[in-house]
C-alpha cells in the first residue's frame, strides 16, 4: 500500500511541475512577472491584450498612444512612477507589484500617460 501511495504522489507532483512549466514558458506574467529593470503594461485586464515593455534605461517616457489613459493591467520588475502632468498626479510602484485591473473603479490607469524610473520626485512635466 505504501508503494502505491508513493507512486501516486510522485506522478501527481511530476504532472503539476510539467503543467506549471508549460504555462510559465508561454511568458505569462502570472508566473514570472516582469524581469528586473522592466515593466510590462497591458491594454486589457488580467495581463492580456497588447503588451508594452518599458525598460528603466529609457528614462522618463510618454506611453504609446494606445495606452495613454488606458493602462488596464501591469506587472513591475523595478521601482517606477506612473504619472499624469495635467493635472499633476503620481503613483509610486515598487518592484514586484502588479495589478490585474488597474483602470477599474477610477483607478489611475484611466489617467496616466507617463512612466518614470525610480522615485516620483524625478518627474519633469513637459510645459504646455
Amino acid at each position: 500500500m505504501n508503494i502505491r501511495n508513493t507512486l501516486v504522489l510522485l506522478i501527481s507532483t511530476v504532472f503539476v511541475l510539467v503543467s506549471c512549466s508549460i504555462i510559465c514558458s508561454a511568458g505569462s506574467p502570472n508566473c514570472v512577472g516582469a524581469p528586473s529593470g522592466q515593466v510590462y503594461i497591458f491594454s486589457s485586464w488580467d495581463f492580456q491584450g497588447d503588451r508594452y515593455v518599458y525598460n528603466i534605461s529609457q528614462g522618463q517616457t510618454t506611453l504609446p498612444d494606445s495606452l495613454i489613459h488606458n493602462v488596464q493591467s501591469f506587472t513591475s520588475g523595478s521601482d517606477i512612477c506612473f504619472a499624469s502632468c495635467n493635472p499633476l498626479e503620481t503613483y509610486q510602484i515598487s518592484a514586484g507589484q502588479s495589478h490585474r485591473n488597474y483602470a477599474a473603479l477610477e483607478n489611475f490607469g484611466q489617467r496616466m500617460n507617463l512612466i518614470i524610473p525610480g522615485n516620483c520626485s524625478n518627474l519633469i512635466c513637459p510645459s504646455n
Side-chain angles (χ1 to χ4, degrees), residues 42-101:
F42 298 88
S43 63
S44 295
W45 301 351
D46 292 326
F47 316 109
Q48 301 295 313
D50 294 333
R51 180 177 77 168
Y52 172 70
V53 178
Y54 169 79
N55 291 291
I56 59 171
S57 62
Q58 292 173 255
Q60 180 170 314
T61 302
T62 300
L63 291 171
D65 289 344
S66 63
L67 289 169
I68 290 177
H69 302 184
N70 188 39
V71 172
Q72 300 293 321
S73 55
F74 73 88
T75 181
S76 181
S78 291
D79 293 344
I80 50 109
C81 178
F82 289 154
S84 175
C85 284
N86 191 14
L88 180 60
E89 191 173 5
T90 61
Y91 284 90
Q92 187 67 50
I93 306 297
S94 299
Q97 191 172 342
S98 64
H99 201 297
R100 293 182 168 280
N101 191 359

